Every structure is written in structure tokens, then in C-alpha cells.
Amino acid sequence: MNMEKRKPSKRKLKVEMQQQEIEVRIRNFNEVPFGYSEEQAIEEAKRCLQCKKPKCVEGCPVDVDIPAFIKLIEDGKFDKAAKKIKEKNSLPAICGRVCPQEDQCEKVCILGRKKEFEPVAIGRLERFAADWEAEHGTVKVPNTPPPTGKKVAVVGSGPAGLTCAFDLVKMGHQITLFESLHKAGGVLVYGIPEFRLPKKIVQREVDYIRSLGVNLRVNSLIGKLYTIDELKGKYDAIFLGTGAGLPMFLGIPGENYNGVYSANEFLTRSNLMKAYLFPEWDTPIKRGKKVAVVGGGNVAMDSARTALRLGADEVYLVYRRSEKEMPARIEEIERAKEEGIKFMILSNPVEVIGENGWVKALKCIKMELGEPDESGRRRPIPIPGSEFMFDIDLFIVAIGTRPNPLISQTTPALKTTKWGTIVVQEDVPKTSLDGVYAGGDIVTGAATVILAMGAGKEAAKAIDEYLKKK
Amino acid sequence: MYEIVRREVLAEDSDLFEIYAPEIAKKAKAGQFVIIRINETGERIPLTLADFDAKKGTITLVALRVGKTTHLLGTLKAGDEILDVVGPLGNPTEIDNYGRVICVGGGLGIATIITICKALKDAGNYVIGIIGARTKDLLIYEDKLRGICNELHISTDDGSYGHHGFVTDVLKKLLDEGDTIDIIWAIGPAIMMKFVCKTTESYKIKTIVSLNPIMVDGTGMCGACRVEVDGKTKFTCVHGPEFDGHKVNWDLLLSRQQMYLNSEKLSFNKFKEKIRG
């Protein structure tokens, strides 16, 4: 070991990650950044201070041993680096791409606190390690402990369900993973676009989890095909990770005209159903020339950038507050702007104008910011008489989603909040029903991939303890 | 994969598929539907359950060949497989002993109305069936319905069989003749359901329809199937598919069904070229 001799590099800024040229990428669905080369990864890894008390690990919702895996990259042990991450995180290639690192591990990185220094590019390094492992074919199925004989049903194969299934199968339990769509992955396959998260990466992670013995059942809508009570009869425990998949609309006149989509529909058509490959693939999608997207989150950015790639000349992002209040990741906001998405801030749609059944124009009102509301952000207030109108041929509503009520409707004994989220105990993610646990967006309301994964992990632990006592 | 165990041509351009899907067959109830995807590049389309048999483990679907997907489906034979079938979706028909009931079926809606007639009859209702088609050769399930309904009335647009005209003419005549009718079901093309509802409105008889908008996931996730009922937006897949027909905004439904007309033509033409080789 030469730990004493190691000196971190003095480089102030992260090693840049090469990406597709803007003019090229706005007309294709390929991933925007190319990822680090081995040399670049090692150079970036050298910036890590290898803190004795690493703050970054505390900042990670799934406690990845970040300094350890970065050291392995620095030493050229890429395969071991990936394995190190996988001890805690079952989906590193995904997290390296879509985690909001700037609010988690990288936010608290000690290096980033130094004047003029950027934090270590932990996300890019995580992505590098995972991709390297996948490309070089060293993915190994870990040894699982002897079977416990306990059966667990995991409902929903999004980030929460995948993580929960992964952890539980590694503990020796027998897992059936139910998914209502025809492909596993939840929001990772229907929501996040190809250019941000290639679907073959999701498939790779799903295949890996299946290789551990998880029985994946697609086309199985729980609440309809089986009720929770029926599952309780067949399984020793249940995890509900059904997400927040119900789209919200604005409730303004004209919202049902042709050419008005929920972001969920627009993205599902494009991502899950591959409508961007129509007519080679059969699902059609409306390709707008002048597009408006309402919302300020990552989903709004994804919708705007997808519309652009489908051939739009102009895409407007309409948001009722200012850019500062946008919930989207800064990186996503910057990418959208780079690509030419026009931000129409402090504006709110009030009416969709139609012609012959199709959207024709959008009428908005100007807003100003008042006192902070319960979310801590300044409340937007309409300015009377400030209405304005502009022509569009496609309108996408990306103002959020709510939990799908299918399971709670068919399970009266399951306690839910007035927002439709499932109530769990404060100490353990256990619902009001014995042996039934829940986590992810179905508990918190719409949040991030990594938080859902953290919840899946926590639930797996709680279920394991419950099964030991049973 | 879901195996087709029986395939029948019901009438010109109308196919029947009996599919092995034991879990769905066990859970299915009258009025519900499934979503299918034929192959990896296929689109998801909703099809109403025309029958289900828990013992045999099969469900029965009928489809009218109109575009690429339904024509592709029409090329499949017994023994072939469909990649994805998900269901049962939507809320079942609310079956009760209402008294005297009329069930109107048009075109392929006749196949769907059978399960509802059967359930209503079993619940003790006096069931009057009215079925109609463009011409005699397109009229399906007459015998089957005769065995279920207490009365069966028939119309064809061209007068080749039964009443010369529309199902609404027969319906109006029955309503005018005076016997009280407690509730009506109407299932068929949107335009037929619209005019049935227009007919029954003045008689103030509750009329239930099964809506058939474009869908994607069928689980409440996308909102493609939104319709306006009583001035409010509803998702057909989770709030329906059956609604009070007097409260439905029919023109909106008819307009939204046309949303992809150009794409559908393009896709179908490409398919036809490929078939011709």
C-alpha cells in the first residue's frame, strides 16, 4: 500500500465529459454525453481527497462507499470499483446518469468547499465504473445464501421495486416482481428518455436482477389481476412500489383538444412504445412544429427536449415562477437551454384555443412572485389584464403526477393520505396491513430515482427482519 | 406469450380470437377489457372481452380489421402467439335486477353485449336485444343471442335482413309501444352509441354505454383515453369504460378518435406494401 504517499491532484475543475455536438444531438435520440475514457476516469479519481470522514457517503441515500470505489478507479481496478458500488447500489449505471448528485454526494464533497474548486465528479465516475463492467463482461452473479423458503411479492418494477427485489433475493428470499406494463423498469423505461438514459442500460440492470433468480411477471396489474388480499394468501410479505403514475392536468378550458398530451403520455409513446421510430414501430405520436410545455421539473425538460428531437422548430417552456424556483436539475435546465428551448417564465396557461378539434394556440397570463408559500418558494400571483396568446400545434402538460389509486381502491384496509399516498410507520416502511410494506413515490409523492431506491432498500431490510420473526 | 387456441372469421373483416390466458379468464367480468400488443414493435390496443371461460382458462376477443394492427392480428392463426395481454382492465358492468332491460349492439359491439345480456338475464332481468349491422352478412351471433334474450330485434342498414334501417328506429318503436323499460345498454361504434343516447334522452331512460377511445397503457397512467362526462374529464380505462351515455360529450370522443388518422393510414399502407412484397 502506498496510501501515505498518495497526493490528490491539484486540478480545480472536474474532468469534462465529452458530449454530442448540440446541432447534431437535437435531431437524434442518442445519449448526450459519451462518458469518461479510462484515462479521464483515472484523472478525475485522482482529485478525490480520500477523506478519513467522508461527507459524500452521508450524502448518498444508499450509503455507497464512494472514496473506496474512487480509489479503485484511480488504481485502474475498474471491475472492483463497480463491484464496490454494487455492494450498496444495484443500479449504478442508472444512478450515475440520473441521480441529482449536486444535491447529494457532490453537494457535501469536501473538495467542493474549497474556493474555486468543483466537487469530485462522483456521478460520472459511478457511471464509468458501471459501464466498464458491463462492456467488459465481468458481471458476475453473486452467491446467494441458502433459500429461506420465504416468498415475497414486490409490486412495481421501478427503482423502488427493483432495489427491494435485488436486496431481498440476495438475502435468500424467493421474489416475484409484478409489473403492469410489458417491460420492467417503471419510470426508467416509460418516463426518462433514451437520450438521458439508454433503455439498453435499464434492460441490462433488469436482466442482472433476474439472473439472481427474481421471477419477473410483466403484464400483471395488481389491484385487477390479483388484489393485495389474494397476494397475502400466497406470499409471506408484500412490498408496494407502485409509484406516482397518474398525470395531473391544469383543469383549463380546451385541455382535451387533439394535440394536448400529458407528459406521461407523450413520453410513454416516445420512450416505452418507441414512437420516435414510427412507422418502423407501430405507435404514432404527434410531431409538433411549434410546441409549448408547461412545467418546470425534469419531466418538463424531458418533454421539451423530446419534442425538439421529434422535429419541432420552436419549443416553449411555460413556467409560472422564475427559473430559480424550477424543481428540475440545473444540469437539465442548462441542457434544455443549450438546445434552444425557449423559457417563458412567470407565465401560466389559462386556456387552450382550438380549431377543428385540434390545439391552435395557447392563452397565458403573466405572473409575479409574492410571499413564500408552504413549499418555501415564492407564490406566483397572476397580474390582472396581462393575458397574451401565441400559436402552437402541440401542448404538453408536465405539472406533476399523483399516486395511482388502483391498489388503495381495491384494498380498503390500506391506510392512505388525502393525496392518495400510502401511510407507513415512521420507524419502518410498514403500512397499516400486517406484512405489507411500501416505498418510493407511492409513499412520498413524486420524487427522485435514488430516493425511491433508498426506500426500496430500507423496506427490504424491514421485510427481512419481519420474515425472520415470522 | 399468449397462445391463440381458436380463431374464427365472424364476418367480412371481423375476427374472433380465443386466447389462453388463465389468470385473466379467472378474474374477468362482463364489461371489462384487455390491452394487447402483438409483437415487439407493436402498439398497445384495447379490446373488449367478448367472452371468458375460467374453466378452460381462455378469453375471447373480437376485432374489426381497420388498420395495421388489426390486419396484422387477422393474419394470426390458432397456435400462433400474442406477445402481451394485460387485464382484466376497467370496471365491470354493474349487474343488478333492474326489471326490463334493452341491450343494443351494433357491429362488433354485438359480441360484447352478449356477456352483458347473459349476466343481466342471470340476475333475473327481462332482456330485450336489438342488434344491427350494415348488411346481413355482417350480422353476428344472432343464434347465440336468441338463446339468451327474451326478445331479439334485428335491423340492417340496407334492409337485407330484419328491419330496414338503424337500431335506433327499432329502439324508438319499442319505447313508443309503451312497455316500461328500466335501463338500456348500448355498445357499438361511437356514432351509433351517440344516436342511441339521443333517442333515449327524451324518454328519460338511463342509458349505459361502453366508450372506446384511443388508449396506451390502460392503467390510468397516460390520459390518452380521457373523455368528458357531465362536464368533467374522466379516464376511460380506470373510471370506465361504461358511463351514463346522456352525460358523454360525444363530439369530443369522435374527434379524439381521429387524432392519428394520418399516421394510421401511413402505417397501414406500409403494411399493405410489405404484404404484397
Side-chain angles (χ1 to χ4, degrees):
Chain A
M1 294 291 276
N2 58 354
M3 285 297 278
E4 289 82 359
K5 278 184 242 158
R6 181 186 184 274
K7 283 237 167 67
S9 84
K10 298 228 161 57
R11 200 190 155 97
K12 285 183 180 166
L13 302 181
K14 293 175 177 178
V15 174
E16 285 283 324
M17 189 162 51
Q18 249 105 36
Q19 50 183 23
Q20 283 198 71
E21 294 292 333
I22 294 166
E23 313 77 66
V24 178
R25 77 180 196 228
I26 58 170
R27 290 295 184 242
N28 72 48
F29 277 81
N30 299 336
E31 194 176 9
V32 172
F34 296 120
Y36 279 159
S37 65
E38 292 183 4
E39 295 72 29
Q40 287 173 318
I42 291 173
E43 198 187 333
E44 179 62 27
K46 282 184 180 156
R47 295 180 65 232
C48 178
L49 300 173
Q50 292 293 325
C51 303
K52 286 268 164 344
K53 284 185 188 152
K55 289 278 172 209
C56 51
V57 181
E58 286 171 35
C60 174
V62 296
D63 308 323
V64 168
D65 190 347
I66 294 166
F69 95 74
I70 291 181
K71 186 71 185 50
L72 287 163
I73 291 179
E74 185 182 337
D75 295 343
K77 295 170 183 160
F78 307 131
D79 193 38
K80 284 205 172 112
K83 303 273 184 300
K84 178 54 78 182
I85 303 170
K86 278 190 169 173
E87 284 173 13
K88 292 289 167 69
N89 181 348
S90 50
L91 311 168
I94 294 169
C95 289
R97 287 171 166 83
V98 303
C99 259
Q101 291 100 5
E102 67 278 8
D103 286 329
Q104 296 170 349
C105 51
E106 293 183 19
K107 186 183 187 178
V108 291
C109 171
I110 303 287
L111 186 64
R113 289 190 189 173
K114 274 168 76 175
K115 217 179 153 202
E116 294 173 12
F117 274 71
E118 280 183 352
V120 177
I122 301 167
R124 293 175 187 176
L125 289 172
E126 180 182 31
R127 170 195 160 129
F128 165 79
D131 287 357
W132 194 95
E133 187 196 35
E135 272 166 43
H136 294 79
T138 57
V139 181
K140 265 193 218 102
V141 178
N143 296 327
T144 42
T148 60
K150 302 284 193 212
K151 291 199 226 165
V152 184
V154 175
V155 184
S157 69
L162 283 177
T163 308
C164 187
F166 174 80
D167 280 14
L168 285 169
V169 79
K170 281 202 302 181
M171 295 165 181
H173 305 302
Q174 194 184 325
I175 312 302
T176 305
L177 178 58
F178 292 99
E179 168 55 47
S180 67
L181 291 170
H182 56 263
K183 273 221 163 25
V187 74
L188 305 172
V189 294
Y190 75 73
I192 303 178
E194 181 76 17
F195 56 82
R196 215 148 69 76
L197 178 63
K199 298 310 145 219
K200 68 164 203 275
I201 287 170
V202 182
Q203 193 56 47
R204 192 165 85 198
E205 306 289 7
V206 170
D207 288 345
Y208 175 67
I209 286 170
R210 288 181 74 183
S211 74
L212 304 179
V214 169
N215 175 23
L216 173 66
R217 300 254 345 244
V218 294
N219 295 327
S220 303
L221 180 62
I222 300 306
K224 287 284 177 190
L225 192 65
Y226 296 110
T227 62
I228 296 302
D229 286 341
E230 286 166 323
L231 289 182
K232 281 188 82 176
K234 288 185 190 165
Y235 296 89
D236 299 298
I238 298 170
F239 173 72
L240 302 175
T242 50
L246 209 70
M248 292 200 279
F249 284 91
L250 292 156
I252 59 173
E255 226 172 350
N256 291 334
Y257 279 123
N258 287 339
V260 182
Y261 282 113
S262 73
N264 258 16
E265 180 184 357
F266 188 67
L267 293 174
T268 299
R269 282 182 182 274
S270 183
N271 300 329
L272 175 74
M273 304 311 297
K274 303 259 186 282
Y276 67 91
L277 298 174
F278 180 87
E280 272 68 44
W281 288 57
D282 293 340
T283 303
I285 194 164
K286 162 75 185 169
R287 292 169 181 253
K289 283 288 161 206
K290 264 192 105 176
V291 183
V293 178
V294 57
N298 290 326
V299 175
M301 303 299 152
D302 285 346
S303 303
R305 295 173 68 198
T306 297
L308 191 67
R309 282 159 174 77
L310 286 169
D313 294 329
E314 286 169 86
V315 182
Y316 293 92
L317 191 106
V318 183
Y319 183 57
R320 59 190 184 140
R321 304 183 204 240
S322 73
E323 201 181 307
K324 215 172 71 197
E325 285 84 16
M326 283 188 176
R329 291 181 66 190
I330 294 161
E331 187 186 311
E332 300 308 325
I333 293 173
E334 278 169 3
R335 288 241 168 93
K337 279 183 158 177
E338 260 169 34
E339 292 178 1
I341 308 294
K342 298 188 172 84
F343 282 37
M344 199 180 263
I345 54 161
L346 292 168
S347 304
N348 206 26
V350 289
E351 188 180 351
V352 183
I353 313 292
E355 191 178 76
N356 301 324
W358 281 85
V359 54
K360 167 92 178 14
L362 189 65
K363 192 189 208 179
C364 296
I365 191 163
K366 286 264 172 219
M367 311 290 276
E368 59 188 350
L369 294 180
E371 295 299 307
D373 62 14
E374 60 273 17
S375 75
R377 297 177 300 176
R378 293 177 65 193
R379 185 191 301 274
I381 305 160
I383 304 170
S386 67
E387 285 91 347
F388 62 102
M389 213 158 86
F390 58 105
D391 283 353
I392 53 169
D393 59 357
L394 179 63
F395 181 43
I396 301 161
V397 183
I399 56 164
T401 54
R402 277 180 309 212
N404 193 318
L406 247 145
I407 286 182
S408 45
Q409 272 169 7
T410 48
T411 321
L414 189 67
K415 244 175 100 180
T416 54
T417 66
K418 63 177 171 178
W419 300 281
T421 52
I422 294 176
V423 177
V424 293
Q425 290 177 11
E426 256 176 50
D427 47 343
V428 277
K430 187 186 165 306
T431 69
S432 54
L433 297 175
D434 184 49
V436 182
Y437 295 74
D441 284 3
I442 188 67
V443 171
T444 57
T448 61
V449 169
I450 190 73
L451 283 175
M453 289 179 58
K457 234 178 161 44
E458 207 188 321
K461 216 157 96 189
I463 290 170
D464 186 52
E465 274 158 29
Y466 167 81
L467 291 174
K468 276 181 188 149
K469 283 183 214 144
K470 211 177 163 182
Chain B
M1 298 291 257
Y2 300 79
E3 194 194 341
I4 297 168
V5 295
R6 182 169 64 98
R7 183 258 161 99
E8 253 179 57
V9 177
L10 289 175
E12 190 196 340
D13 285 343
S14 305
D15 301 309
L16 173 147
F17 300 92
E18 190 175 345
I19 296 164
Y20 187 67
E23 290 175 294
I24 302 173
K26 213 164 145 186
K27 268 298 161 81
K29 291 202 173 75
Q32 289 187 299
F33 66 96
V34 295
I35 281 191
I36 69 159
R37 194 175 70 126
I38 302 173
N39 56 29
E40 188 55 31
T41 55
E43 61 179 335
R44 292 169 66 101
I45 60 159
L47 292 172
T48 309
L49 289 166
D51 203 1
F52 38 87
D53 187 332
K55 260 192 214 143
K56 277 168 74 185
T58 61
I59 57 170
T60 302
L61 308 174
V62 293
L64 185 66
R65 274 173 257 150
V66 281
K68 182 195 167 169
T69 300
T70 42
H71 272 89
L72 178 65
L73 189 64
T75 64
L76 302 181
K77 308 173 292 291
D80 288 342
E81 287 176 325
I82 291 172
L83 185 57
D84 300 299
V85 180
V86 58
L89 301 172
N91 300 309
T93 304
E94 275 181 46
I95 302 295
D96 203 341
N97 190 352
Y98 298 97
R100 288 171 63 89
V101 183
I102 293 180
C103 292
V104 188
L108 274 192
I110 302 172
T112 310
I113 208 115
I114 290 184
T115 57
I116 296 172
C117 286
K118 221 192 298 183
L120 286 168
K121 182 80 183 297
D122 290 346
N125 294 283
Y126 184 88
V127 179
I128 304 165
I130 305 174
I131 57 172
R134 225 168 54 233
T135 184
K136 190 185 177 207
D137 292 341
L138 298 178
L139 202 70
I140 55 171
Y141 287 129
E142 183 192 343
D143 293 344
K144 213 167 172 186
L145 274 163
R146 280 206 193 282
I148 297 166
C149 298
N150 298 83
E151 290 173 32
L152 184 69
H153 304 267
I154 291 165
S155 75
T156 49
D157 298 3
D158 65 356
S160 52
Y161 189 55
H163 168 78
H164 185 172
F166 300 116
V167 284
T168 41
D169 307 334
V170 181
L171 176 65
K172 198 168 182 318
K173 192 165 160 262
L174 282 174
L175 296 177
D176 285 337
E177 279 167 6
D179 266 334
T180 46
I181 295 297
D182 297 292
I183 190 164
I184 296 168
W185 261 265
I187 299 178
I191 193 77
M192 181 211 94
M193 294 192 282
K194 175 184 171 174
F195 283 102
V196 166
C197 291
K198 275 210 177 319
T199 306
T200 60
E201 210 162 11
S202 53
Y203 297 89
K204 293 192 172 62
I205 303 169
K206 190 167 181 176
T207 306
I208 308 289
V209 292
S210 179
L211 301 186
N212 47 358
I214 293 167
M215 286 188 187
V216 184
D217 62 284
T219 66
M221 206 186 82
C222 82
C225 65
R226 56 196 196 275
V227 290
E228 204 180 288
V229 182
D230 210 9
K232 291 186 196 85
T233 296
K234 299 275 178 194
F235 289 4
T236 304
C237 66
V238 288
H239 300 125
E242 296 191 0
F243 293 100
D244 181 339
H246 293 152
K247 293 177 178 166
V248 169
N249 180 341
W250 292 102
D251 294 337
L252 180 71
L253 174 71
L254 286 160
S255 163
R256 284 186 65 83
Q257 283 179 338
Q258 310 285 312
M259 178 147 168
Y260 298 101
L261 219 55
N262 291 334
S263 296
E264 283 162 8
K265 266 184 210 150
L266 177 76
S267 185
F268 186 35
N269 287 337
K270 209 169 155 271
F271 174 73
K272 280 191 288 194
E273 275 167 33
K274 204 177 148 200
I275 292 258
R276 275 191 221 114

